[in-house]
Amino acid sequence: MSSAGNVTRQHAEWLNLVDASGPFLSLPVLVRAFPQGLDLVEPERRALLRQAFEEWQAADLRARPELHDAWFRFALREALGIQTSDLRRGQDLPTQLVFQEAGETLRPTAALAPDPARPPALLIDLVPPGQDLDKYLVNRPWKASPAERMRMLLRATGVRVGLVTNGADWML
């Protein structure tokens, strides 16, 4: 099989693993954007991620909620290559990333901003484990899903890319 055929097959296999919504993620788009194919994940790293994910799934996250955040930071670092030092969280989040909607203050859990003097490249929101990313959050005045909240936050802040996760599901 030709190299182009291998790349096309790799992209097709990857698309079968993701729940793609919208018109932007398709085989022709992937082949055009990544003509050399996707970077392969080393078997050791893949095994480490799988082990950590299984430990997170087995953990009692109600008794130890800090493990949810630990898995989140680990996955960002090991799977996506995002260093903790490049994330702004809590008090370090720029005030322009805060947005008011329907009586609620929206702010991301973190922002990828390697250079604090420049706008963030990515907003990231960690929601409780088990929270459906497309279902509204309970006990909140504004009945909107984490996905919709991120869309509103992106529009309000001008940041172009957002990532929402419950630890198991990841939505870009």
Side-chain angles (χ1 to χ4, degrees):
M1 181 181 275
S2 71
S3 176
N6 286 336
V7 168
T8 301
R9 189 180 83 248
Q10 179 193 37
H11 288 319
E13 289 173 1
W14 184 82
L15 279 172
N16 284 328
L17 296 174
V18 299
D19 182 14
S21 63
F24 64 91
L25 194 58
S26 67
L27 189 55
V29 170
L30 284 173
V31 170
R32 214 172 27 254
F34 300 101
Q36 74 288 353
L38 298 171
D39 293 338
L40 297 177
V41 177
E42 307 87 33
E44 300 82 22
R45 178 172 290 186
R46 192 171 41 241
L48 184 64
L49 281 162
R50 182 172 289 123
Q51 178 185 354
F53 179 70
E54 289 170 357
E55 289 173 7
W56 171 81
Q57 283 184 306
D60 181 355
L61 298 174
R62 287 199 172 129
R64 305 218 26 227
E66 72 276 6
L67 295 178
H68 187 50
D69 189 67
W71 160 245
F72 166 71
R73 287 181 286 110
F74 180 82
L76 289 177
R77 184 181 65 245
E78 293 300 322
L80 301 177
I82 296 174
Q83 299 304 313
T84 305
S85 60
D86 292 337
L87 291 177
R88 305 292 164 251
R89 297 183 77 171
Q91 300 272 346
D92 292 334
L93 279 171
T95 56
Q96 68 266 26
L97 298 181
V98 177
F99 176 66
Q100 297 290 322
E101 178 65 39
E104 285 193 57
T105 301
L106 301 181
R107 70 172 40 92
T109 303
L112 176 60
D115 180 353
R118 299 186 58 162
L122 172 74
L123 299 184
I124 308 168
D125 203 16
L126 175 65
V127 299
Q131 169 66 52
D132 188 315
L133 302 181
D134 287 316
K135 304 273 187 203
Y136 71 86
L137 292 168
V138 296
N139 301 323
R140 297 283 183 86
W142 183 37
K143 299 300 181 203
S145 69
E148 181 59 24
R149 290 165 181 271
M150 179 58 77
R151 279 191 283 277
M152 292 296 292
L153 196 55
L154 292 172
R155 281 188 203 112
T157 61
V159 178
R160 297 178 60 136
V161 183
L163 176 69
V164 181
T165 182
N166 60 15
D169 299 316
W170 297 71
M171 176 186 285
L172 190 60

